[in-house]
Amino acid sequence: MTKDEKIKALQRVIGHPNRGSVYYKLFEDMGDLKFDYCNYMTTKPVDCDLELERLPLADYELCSALFTMLLREDYFSTGALKRRYEAGQVDDILVRMVEKLKEEG
């Protein structure tokens, strides 16, 4: 998927709550699922709340890892993604990803 296609795909889901499977498919299609997301994290075991504090300075790769982290959290704790969406954290990551893609020029 090209950078512009990724931007459009991400923008389509911002502001629209989805099931984890929708986000999973999106990130899979973009090639941005980070199966090694733990390698991007600074906490062991992973503390999602602390890791999300890194978002304001995150590059695109870290954003992908953070989003994968949320998908994995939801897998182990059903309903976590919905709570994160309601708190604005899902869209915060997606918006940051769009910003980073646009910065690439």
Side-chain angles (χ1 to χ4, degrees):
M1 194 178 281
T2 68
K3 179 182 67 157
D4 288 337
E5 290 170 333
K6 286 183 180 187
I7 290 170
K8 288 176 185 168
L10 290 165
Q11 288 174 330
R12 279 194 296 273
V13 297
I14 293 171
H16 303 286
N18 289 292
R19 294 186 324 266
S21 60
V22 172
Y23 293 118
Y24 188 93
K25 174 94 170 85
L26 170 65
F27 274 71
E28 189 174 55
D29 290 348
M30 292 190 314
D32 289 328
L33 274 178
K34 298 294 184 195
F35 296 103
D36 63 342
Y37 73 96
C38 288
N39 293 336
Y40 292 82
M41 303 298 121
T42 59
T43 57
K44 305 283 188 243
V46 174
D47 182 324
C48 295
D49 292 317
L50 283 176
E51 296 297 343
L52 287 171
E53 289 178 10
R54 299 169 60 205
L55 184 61
L57 300 176
D59 63 9
Y60 186 84
E61 293 299 311
L62 179 55
C63 288
S64 296
L66 291 171
F67 205 91
T68 303
M69 172 190 75
L70 294 188
L71 293 174
R72 297 302 297 156
E73 178 190 38
D74 189 61
Y75 176 80
F76 291 108
S77 178
T78 304
L81 190 63
K82 181 181 180 201
R83 289 188 300 276
R84 299 264 183 209
Y85 182 85
E86 290 169 353
Q89 295 166 319
V90 169
D91 279 351
D92 287 347
I93 296 172
L94 299 173
V95 166
R96 178 75 178 169
M97 292 178 80
V98 169
E99 289 172 356
K100 297 313 288 180
L101 286 168
K102 286 181 175 180
E103 283 177 11
E104 289 178 10

